[in-house]
Amino acid sequence: GLVSFENANFPMDQDKRTYHVGTKRGEVANRILSVGDVTRAALCASFMEPPPGMSEVYSYKSKRGFVTHTGLFDGVPISVVSTGMGYPNMDFVVRECRAVTDGELAFVRVGTCGAIQAPPGKLGSVVVASKGSVLVRRNPDAYDDPTVGKYFVSKPALPDAKLSALLESEMRSALNGDESEVVSAMNASADSFYSSQGRTGDDFDDANENLLDEIILKRQPEVVSLEMETFHLLDLARNSRELSVHAASCAIVLAERRSNDFLPADRIEFMERTCCRAALSTLAKASVRDVDGKEAYGDA
Ligand code: R1P
């Protein structure tokens, strides 16, 4: 049927569902795993048990394509949200999940990325953004003004130190003995998969031939992974009132940007399974306080 929304400042429908992610209070846990695509989200959901009193993991798909799965992992309520790509989508997920939950919120992102330094970011490794993330943005004003730089690189936004350390150690135990390594580094989140990640082509005048070395790495030599959402997640967390949002992020290296090598499908599958499980375990163990300031679950 027809759905009406109220309050143009923060639209919600009559059931108090948010405008884009579409969930309402009670459907989203205080521990959220954010992944890029719906297939990875469904994989994460397959590792969870149904919430108490339900026969299946709760799933909700919004008109805008965001999918939320809520269930239990190690007995702890967790929601997995498919975020889609790019920082505006991360903005919807963090703000709208915040609006329908109470108490502290812990967000962990498991993404995929390209590596601009390998080593250490070898194909198939997972890069934990323990040293934070910068934003890389194309500056459209450079179109007809040669005095302004074509690309802007921000200062880093840092993750929640405890949550990020826990994520790193869960990844290390999950990958112990495997060929894939866990790398602790700085991430960069770009506003395009193409121009602001230094991919070149003939169709547009992106002026990005020297972006990786002369702009990004010159400013932030510790950047290893390049993707599109982590900066915004960490930036929103540090701007959350009373620091109620805690965030950490990691990304699986699917591509080495220097050699142009791409990770084979079977290794992508293995890494997605392993890293998503490790992230769920991280969230289950994380310290997250509910509205009363009580430690509801977790002990880390
Ligand atoms: C681009 O292909 C997408 O993949 C990466 C980028 O951040 C971007 O969203 O991460 P996800 O696999 O989590 O979407």
Side-chain angles (χ1 to χ4, degrees):
L2 293 177
V3 181
S4 313
F5 283 85
E6 289 165 5
N7 183 6
N9 184 61
F10 199 100
M12 286 201 181
D13 73 7
Q14 270 123 6
D15 292 337
K16 301 275 184 237
R17 291 188 179 279
T18 57
Y19 192 35
H20 310 89
V21 180
T23 45
K24 63 178 183 185
R25 198 164 242 94
E27 294 182 346
V28 181
N30 286 57
R31 297 150 200 271
I32 299 172
L33 175 53
S34 151
V35 299
D37 69 54
V38 293
T39 314
R40 202 179 310 146
L43 174 70
C44 297
S46 76
F47 301 143
M48 299 199 295
E49 302 294 328
M54 293 185 75
S55 56
E56 291 171 33
V57 168
Y58 176 78
S59 296
Y60 187 88
K61 181 174 184 191
S62 80
K63 197 171 76 158
R64 293 287 182 174
F66 294 97
V67 178
T68 302
H69 302 286
T70 300
L72 303 178
F73 187 86
D74 288 344
V76 179
I78 294 179
S79 291
V80 179
V81 182
S82 74
T83 300
M85 294 177 280
Y87 69 85
N89 281 322
M90 182 57 87
D91 197 68
F92 289 127
V93 168
V94 176
R95 292 180 192 274
E96 295 187 11
C97 287
R98 176 67 290 183
V100 298
T101 49
D102 301 294
E104 287 187 337
L105 263 193
F107 269 94
V108 170
R109 163 169 154 80
V110 173
T112 63
C113 67
I116 61 174
Q117 300 200 78
K122 286 187 298 194
L123 211 55
S125 56
V126 57
V127 182
V128 180
S130 50
K131 298 179 183 172
S133 178
V134 296
L135 167 68
V136 181
R137 200 173 53 201
R138 183 174 161 275
N139 182 1
D141 286 349
Y143 163 65
D144 60 357
D145 183 354
T147 66
V148 301
K150 279 264 187 190
Y151 293 91
F152 162 84
V153 180
S154 76
K155 293 182 202 162
L158 298 177
D160 179 280
K162 246 174 124 180
L163 189 61
S164 190
L166 186 58
L167 179 63
E168 200 181 316
S169 83
E170 290 298 311
M171 290 292 161
R172 287 194 196 283
S173 0
L175 288 164
N176 185 23
D178 187 75
E179 66 195 69
S180 289
E181 283 167 30
V182 180
V183 180
S184 163
M186 191 179 288
N187 174 76
S189 298
D191 67 350
S192 165
F193 181 79
Y194 298 101
S195 62
S196 50
Q197 289 191 30
R199 290 188 166 89
T200 53
D202 297 331
D203 294 329
F204 298 94
D205 182 14
D206 290 320
N208 63 352
E209 290 74 12
N210 62 0
L211 175 65
L212 302 185
D213 289 315
E214 297 303 317
I215 301 176
I216 300 176
L217 288 173
K218 192 158 273 178
R219 207 151 309 169
Q220 295 294 346
E222 294 196 85
V223 170
V224 170
S225 53
L226 197 46
E227 45 78 271
M228 300 178 66
E229 297 81 16
T230 295
F231 175 81
H232 198 64
L233 172 61
L234 303 185
D235 185 38
L236 278 180
R238 71 181 174 179
N239 279 291
S240 61
R241 293 228 198 273
E242 290 159 29
L243 295 177
S244 74
V245 179
H246 303 260
S249 181
C250 66
I252 302 159
V253 178
L254 292 194
E256 275 186 24
R257 295 296 313 286
R258 308 302 179 149
S259 64
N260 279 332
D261 285 346
F262 210 91
L263 192 65
D266 59 326
R267 283 304 293 178
I268 296 180
E269 212 210 341
F270 169 79
M271 285 303 289
E272 286 198 327
R273 286 182 166 277
T274 308
C275 295
C276 288
R277 268 187 174 283
L280 287 166
S281 167
T282 303
L283 282 162
K285 287 180 182 170
S287 166
V288 181
R289 285 172 192 283
D290 67 17
V291 261
D292 306 322
K294 283 194 309 240
E295 182 62 55
Y297 301 93
D299 47 23

